[in-house]
Amino acid sequence: MPANTTASSGSTGSAGGGSRKKKGRRARLIVIVLVLALVAGIGYGTYWSVSTVRASYPQTSGTAQLAGLDSNVEVKRDGYGIPQIYADSDSDLFRAQGFVQAQDRFWEMDVRRHMTSGRLSEMFGSGQVETDSFLRTLGWRKVAQEEYDHVLSAETKKNLQSYADGVNAYLKGRDGKDISVEYAALGFTNDYKPTKWTPVDSVAWLKAMAWDLRGNMQDEIDRSLMTSRLDAKQIEDLYPPYPYDTHKPIVSEGGISPATGKYDAQATPSGNVGSSTAAGATQGLNTQLGALSDTLDKIPSLLGPNGTGIGSNSWVVSGKYTTTDKPLLANDPHLAPQLPSLWYQMGLHCRTVSATCKYDAAGYTFSGMPGVIIGHNQDVAWGFTNLGADVTDLFLEKVSGDGYQYDGKVKPFTTREETIKVAGGKDRHITVRETNNGPLVSDRNSELEKVGQKAPVTNAAPDRADGYAVALKWTALEPGKSMDAVFELNRAKDFTSFRAAAEHFEVPSQNLIYADTKGHIGYQAPGKIPVRKSGDGTMPSPGWSSSYGWKKDPIPFDELPYEYDPKRGYIVTANQAVIDEDKYPYMLTKDWGYGTRSQRINDLIESKIKGGGKISTDDMQKMQMDNTSEIAALLVPELMKLNIADKDVREAQKLLEGWDYTQESDSAAAAYFNAVWRNILKLAFGDKLPKEMRVKGECLNVPPAKSSGPVDEQDKLVRECGQRAPDSAQPDGGDRWYQVVGNLMDKPDSDWWKTPANRKDEATENRDQLFARAMEDARWELTAKLGKDITTWNWGRLHQLTLKNQTLGKEGPGLLQRALNRGPWNLGGGEAAVDATGWNAAGGYEVVWVPSMRMVVNVGDWDKSRWINLTGASGHAFSAHYTDQTDKWVNGELIGWSFGTNAVARGTKDTLTLKP
């Protein structure tokens, strides 16, 4: 899920066209720049600029009318602008939540709902038609409407309506410029006006969340793309098995009980019965599948790039091993950096918890959705990380006329017509076609019309004719109860009610950790996870055969893994394998994160416990900032053995002497090592991957696809240029690549270490030669970027974070971006470190995902908990709370998190009373 795709930018540009369109686009951008200059006070017109800015600032003190309230509601904000809401009924509480979030973040909310419904073109013009077409094909909004109409509980719908009423009460009587300065700018390019919020707008956001956390779809595409250049053994080398012997899975106790058939945390594992782990289909796709990958790159990816190198951390430690004698719980989800942050900190308090006012919770919420997503209530605390279950499959479909082939017969498509309204342009019309495996995503890209022309398939496959279409099967395209689960989590009182809530959290499938005031800790793997009839989901499957596809029912919830008060006294989830596949009868996925972060956290906890110490809140916070590079610990001893002839490269090599493998921002050693790692990956793997996986615009002379002849003559080589966005290209350097390289370290003569000669460099024949070449390339790369004097090098100068406004801040001239964006900041941390400031080794060193927030919950003594957000509470570009937490976040600091009435009162700076 790339963090800087153009599709999520809200571009005002055109999708194409002649010079008149281009001139029109430039004119609109110039107008926006001038308006933003005035608004920011950069230019002139002081009175107008100040009044425009202040018009959109929220009222935070005094009194305000909010229609529909039963009684007064208080909104108490602390020095960071974080609100705590106090009400006497559920409807008042959520109505006020909608009102307050709209005060701070409505532009963000409005863009999100247009994205989830495939309506970005209504705001930003024809440049978003392709994105809207794909999102309409997926049908997020359609499924959300079905959930609201037919699946969600009456209580959930009541809460959603109350929230929507609060948003609309804020919007009533306000022009766009009174809501956000972005509307002031947008008003000069089209006549867009915000419309009323609906409950389905909130539900649809869960589909975007599910899309970004959908599991291995990109890996499925990449493996297919690799077949054009690599054989099956080579692809297997690049997707090694999960290292269960060195990286502990989340769950190490319990299994499916032979007596009950349910998962029992105390049972002896029943073993893998092989019911869903049959060998995958041999079908692959040709490199035209890269067009689908390119389309995916353009889908707004609000949560982060999708890949095995990213994820989140959470862990919980029993009071037996803490200084508080109660559990401590930490969480830091790793998502795309964005401005404002994805998260909105908030407290939702019933003055008296009762049958009519059930909530007393605080934590991280999503703007545009009621309730608390991650946090705690009076009794329990919870955290999330992505489970990574494989909940998507691509199917090759043989289409003809108005139907598709299935078991030798032609079945008719299910179709629907969609109209895309375009600001400043004509409406566009598309037809969405669906098979029994889902919508035809290949219909949304002209190149994909011929997908499968050269795909290797079995003799049983139908005649390929003009090729195969591609359908997407995904659990989130079926209505579910995840919105119910949010409210149920907020009300949970114990592990039983927590698990009952988790049962309804169907998509996205998350690792849920738990702690309560009675001292218990726990874990639950929830989610609607399919059981396949055949294959393992790692490659596209034949859609024309009923032997493939999914069984009717997913894995039963009561057979999903969980833990409750495990003997070891702690639980760690960081996107590693949930449970050893030999101890569990179902396949959850074949594409786990490889457990580098999780094992580091396990090791840090164990070292403290085994040393006789107890873990404090400070210890939890320090663990979150651990930036040790595990791949450096593996490679540096070998790099130091190399005899380097070039004195400048030898000078850089000496930076690694005595380095402790930590990646501080001011570390020259971290800068040089990460450059060496990037060049090792490029030489050994990147240059051998198909163009569809390499960075766009980077060109190589390569042998013809699947060529077995000599490659040392220039006339035998073909010029190929990469096609993928930098933050989703491969090799990305995530911990899958740690495992790949680790497996090859004792094979110094492997073909992977061999590179052909070119005009500048000699060929490498073994591992040490390739390492030496990478050290040389890294030296000169950093010389170009940081200067020849290595004493001036540091990791932070390479590894920078720039926070970009998610819409207008990503497109247009520099003045526009400077008005809305903030940074850069020099960061420590790195790829697959606990402090996971992620970067893509194929694309460069820029930070592309981050710990989007950090929290340490002091269970039972809630007011001693700590938290931080990436940016701030406000989405208003010139507010004091736009990025007022960022510097502390960069430094690894946390701020106090008040929960109790007295603690909140002591920290309150502004109080707004909302009256009926």
Side-chain angles (χ1 to χ4, degrees):
M1 303 178 316
N4 58 357
T5 57
T6 57
S8 61
S9 66
S11 169
T12 59
S14 168
S19 62
R20 189 166 66 179
K21 287 185 178 179
K22 292 179 179 178
K23 288 178 182 177
R25 178 174 59 187
R26 284 194 216 103
R28 289 194 298 273
L29 286 174
I30 289 170
V31 170
I32 290 175
V33 172
L34 291 175
V35 172
L36 264 286
L38 290 171
V39 169
I42 295 170
Y44 48 85
T46 305
Y47 173 77
W48 188 78
S49 66
V50 171
S51 65
T52 302
V53 170
R54 288 180 176 172
S56 61
Y57 280 8
Q59 178 185 351
T60 59
S61 60
T63 62
Q65 299 293 314
L66 177 51
L69 290 179
D70 297 320
S71 59
N72 288 353
V73 174
E74 288 181 308
V75 182
K76 297 177 180 290
R77 292 179 183 259
D78 67 10
Y80 291 93
I82 299 170
Q84 306 275 348
I85 298 176
Y86 291 85
D88 293 323
S89 68
D90 292 344
S91 60
D92 281 1
L93 191 65
F94 294 118
R95 183 173 278 103
Q97 184 182 13
F99 182 89
V100 170
Q101 288 191 338
Q103 281 186 305
D104 283 334
R105 300 279 193 97
F106 186 75
W107 170 263
E108 173 195 11
M109 293 164 58
D110 202 12
V111 172
R112 278 187 189 169
R113 67 164 165 177
H114 279 79
M115 184 269 288
T116 58
S117 58
R119 294 169 49 220
L120 287 169
S121 300
E122 294 179 20
M123 295 184 77
F124 304 114
S126 58
Q128 299 302 323
V129 169
E130 183 179 350
T131 297
D132 285 345
S133 296
F134 192 85
L135 294 172
R136 295 284 185 98
T137 298
L138 295 180
W140 294 353
R141 173 76 184 203
K142 178 178 73 74
V143 179
Q145 186 71 58
E146 291 170 1
E147 288 181 357
Y148 185 79
D149 290 342
H150 305 299
V151 177
L152 297 179
S153 71
E155 182 171 0
T156 292
K157 291 197 281 189
K158 179 183 177 183
N159 293 340
L160 287 165
Q161 186 62 60
S162 295
Y163 180 90
D165 290 344
V167 174
N168 293 328
Y170 175 74
L171 296 179
K172 187 176 181 179
R174 284 181 168 86
D175 292 330
K177 64 181 175 59
D178 300 323
I179 298 171
S180 179
V181 293
E182 287 93 339
Y183 289 113
L186 194 65
F188 281 82
T189 67
N190 62 57
D191 59 357
Y192 174 81
K193 297 185 185 306
T195 57
K196 285 187 176 182
W197 192 264
T198 74
V200 181
D201 292 334
S202 297
V203 178
W205 171 238
L206 283 172
K207 299 304 170 186
M209 184 179 173
W211 174 256
D212 283 354
L213 301 174
R214 63 193 178 273
N216 78 333
M217 184 173 169
Q218 190 64 59
D219 288 320
E220 188 175 340
I221 292 171
D222 286 354
R223 271 186 286 254
S224 299
L225 294 172
M226 287 179 185
T227 61
S228 69
R229 289 211 167 269
L230 305 177
D231 61 32
K233 175 61 172 64
Q234 290 172 318
I235 296 173
E236 185 179 336
D237 286 345
L238 301 188
Y239 287 90
Y242 184 86
Y244 290 99
D245 54 337
T246 57
H247 292 170
K248 296 177 182 177
I250 297 171
V251 173
S252 60
E253 301 172 14
I256 302 293
S257 169
T260 64
K262 299 180 180 180
Y263 196 92
D264 184 342
Q266 308 300 320
T268 300
S270 59
N272 193 322
V273 299
S275 61
S276 61
T277 56
T282 60
Q283 284 77 3
L285 293 175
N286 62 21
T287 54
Q288 290 182 11
L289 193 57
L292 175 58
S293 182
D294 183 58
T295 300
L296 298 181
D297 271 348
K298 296 175 183 176
I299 302 307
S301 299
L302 297 179
L303 302 188
N306 188 277
T308 56
I310 67 168
S312 306
N313 302 322
S314 71
W315 64 95
V316 60
V317 182
S318 167
K320 178 181 178 181
Y321 296 119
T322 68
T323 58
T324 65
D325 295 327
K326 290 287 180 70
L328 293 174
L329 185 150
N331 197 186
D332 55 288
H334 306 157
L335 307 171
Q338 54 188 281
L339 183 60
S341 166
L342 178 77
W343 300 108
Y344 184 92
Q345 295 152 291
M346 192 174 227
L348 300 173
H349 307 279
C350 289
R351 294 188 179 99
T352 301
V353 176
S354 66
T356 57
C357 201
K358 308 178 188 68
Y359 298 88
D360 189 12
Y364 294 87
T365 71
F366 290 139
S367 300
M369 207 171 88
V372 172
I373 305 301
I374 294 175
H376 70 83
N377 59 30
Q378 291 177 324
D379 302 295
V380 308
W382 64 92
F384 283 13
T385 62
N386 194 24
L387 191 150
D390 185 358
V391 296
T392 60
D393 277 341
L394 295 173
F395 285 85
L396 296 177
E397 300 284 4
K398 175 59 181 176
V399 302
S400 56
D402 295 326
Y404 60 97
Q405 194 168 129
Y406 189 70
D407 283 346
K409 298 180 180 179
V410 176
K411 299 187 67 174
F413 293 113
T414 300
T415 62
R416 68 178 190 275
E417 303 298 319
E418 296 279 351
T419 299
I420 298 171
K421 295 185 180 299
V422 182
K426 295 181 179 179
D427 293 353
R428 308 293 175 87
H429 304 277
I430 64 170
T431 300
V432 178
R433 301 188 295 172
E434 296 188 10
T435 74
N436 56 359
N437 289 314
L440 291 182
V441 290
S442 53
D443 280 355
R444 300 284 74 86
N445 190 294
S446 59
E447 291 182 55
L448 281 171
E449 291 175 2
K450 296 184 179 180
V451 160
Q453 273 192 334
K454 299 179 182 178
V457 293
T458 64
N459 291 333
D463 175 54
R464 70 179 79 250
D466 291 330
Y468 304 124
V470 181
L472 171 65
K473 195 172 184 69
W474 178 31
T475 55
L477 297 183
E478 302 169 5
K481 297 183 177 181
S482 294
M483 196 69 238
D484 284 344
V486 172
F487 295 111
E488 291 166 357
L489 278 174
N490 286 203
R491 301 192 304 263
K493 298 296 182 186
D494 51 29
F495 194 59
T496 299
S497 54
F498 172 80
R499 290 192 71 212
E503 182 172 4
H504 291 152
F505 207 96
E506 297 168 333
V507 293
S509 186
Q510 299 287 285
N511 295 308
L512 296 180
I513 61 167
Y514 165 94
D516 65 35
T517 54
K518 294 182 180 179
H520 301 293
I521 64 173
Y523 163 81
Q524 178 65 57
K528 185 186 292 183
I529 303 173
V531 179
R532 291 167 177 82
K533 297 177 183 177
S534 184
D536 59 11
T538 59
M539 295 280 275
S541 298
W544 50 79
S545 172
S546 59
S547 298
Y548 292 85
W550 297 351
K551 295 184 178 179
K552 180 180 178 181
D553 296 319
I555 300 174
F557 177 78
D558 59 14
E559 296 183 40
L560 289 169
Y562 74 92
E563 281 193 323
Y564 186 60
D565 290 336
K567 295 175 184 177
R568 63 184 179 279
Y570 61 90
I571 300 169
V572 175
T573 87
N575 317 108
Q576 78 272 42
V578 169
I579 189 169
D580 192 322
E581 63 182 2
D582 291 333
K583 300 178 180 178
Y584 189 66
Y586 296 105
M587 189 203 78
L588 300 176
T589 185
K590 288 289 187 180
D591 289 305
W592 301 112
Y594 280 73
T596 300
R597 283 179 290 107
S598 62
Q599 192 55 46
R600 177 64 179 170
I601 298 167
N602 271 295
D603 291 343
L604 290 170
I605 295 172
E606 286 185 7
S607 65
K608 187 77 172 182
I609 292 173
K610 290 180 179 178
K614 289 200 170 187
I615 294 171
S616 67
T617 306
D618 287 342
D619 292 328
M620 300 284 276
Q621 185 174 341
K622 289 175 183 176
M623 289 180 196
Q624 287 181 325
M625 297 304 296
D626 182 86
N627 57 30
T628 301
S629 171
E630 297 297 323
I631 191 62
L634 175 68
L635 294 184
V636 167
E638 299 302 321
L639 297 176
M640 296 306 298
K641 294 176 184 177
L642 299 179
N643 184 16
I644 303 297
D646 187 304
K647 65 180 180 58
D648 291 312
V649 180
R650 196 163 61 246
E651 180 187 31
Q653 183 187 35
K654 288 182 179 178
L655 290 173
L656 304 179
E657 287 183 356
W659 180 42
D660 62 359
Y661 315 132
T662 59
Q663 300 172 93
E664 301 295 340
S665 174
D666 61 359
S667 171
Y672 182 57
F673 171 77
N674 283 317
V676 174
W677 171 236
R678 166 172 148 84
N679 280 279
I680 287 173
L681 291 171
K682 181 179 185 296
L683 292 168
F685 311 105
D687 290 353
K688 298 165 187 173
L689 295 177
K691 62 182 182 295
E692 294 87 354
M693 297 176 66
R694 301 200 310 268
V695 174
K696 187 174 183 178
E698 291 189 0
C699 302
L700 295 169
N701 293 322
V702 300
K706 290 286 184 70
S707 173
S708 58
V711 296
D712 57 345
E713 299 177 31
Q714 288 296 318
D715 61 355
K716 297 286 187 180
L717 302 179
V718 177
R719 188 70 168 169
E720 281 189 352
C721 297
Q723 298 179 350
R724 188 169 288 183
D727 56 6
S728 59
Q730 291 294 336
D732 61 15
D735 63 356
R736 172 164 67 88
W737 294 100
Y738 289 17
Q739 193 66 30
V740 169
V741 171
N743 289 350
L744 293 171
M745 288 298 287
D746 61 355
K747 301 172 183 177
D749 297 318
S750 167
D751 286 345
W752 287 112
W753 304 126
K754 297 176 182 178
T755 62
N758 60 35
R759 294 176 183 175
K760 293 182 178 180
D761 302 285
E762 296 296 325
T764 63
E765 297 294 335
N766 56 48
R767 183 196 68 192
D768 289 352
Q769 288 181 8
L770 185 141
F771 281 9
R773 166 100 166 265
M775 293 177 75
E776 179 181 357
D777 290 352
R779 178 24 160 146
W780 300 118
E781 181 186 2
L782 294 200
T783 297
K785 292 179 181 295
L786 302 179
K788 187 173 181 181
D789 182 359
I790 67 172
T791 64
T792 68
W793 290 2
N794 66 64
W795 177 223
R797 287 177 61 200
L798 282 176
H799 191 53
Q800 293 187 323
L801 168 68
T802 300
L803 293 173
K804 298 180 180 180
N805 180 284
Q806 288 301 288
T807 51
L808 300 179
K810 286 193 170 185
E811 293 285 321
L815 181 59
L816 174 64
Q817 297 187 20
R818 285 195 295 274
L820 295 175
N821 300 342
R822 299 293 182 268
W825 286 267
N826 295 352
L827 297 190
E831 180 62 43
V834 180
D835 181 19
T837 54
W839 55 286
N840 184 300
Y845 305 99
E846 178 187 5
V847 176
V848 295
W849 57 83
V850 294
S852 56
M853 62 79 160
R854 299 185 184 102
M855 72 176 192
V856 177
V857 182
N858 199 313
V859 177
D861 199 351
W862 305 114
D863 294 329
K864 291 183 179 178
S865 301
R866 303 172 188 172
W867 59 354
I868 198 78
N869 206 349
L870 174 64
T871 61
S874 180
H876 298 288
F878 310 107
S879 165
H881 303 307
Y882 193 46
T883 55
D884 59 339
Q885 297 184 51
T886 307
D887 286 342
K888 291 182 180 294
W889 177 93
V890 168
N891 294 327
E893 299 176 45
L894 302 177
I895 60 176
W897 178 359
S898 298
F899 178 73
T901 303
N902 293 335
V904 169
R906 287 193 298 269
T908 295
K909 302 298 183 185
D910 291 300
T911 300
L912 174 66
T913 301
L914 300 174
K915 293 181 174 293

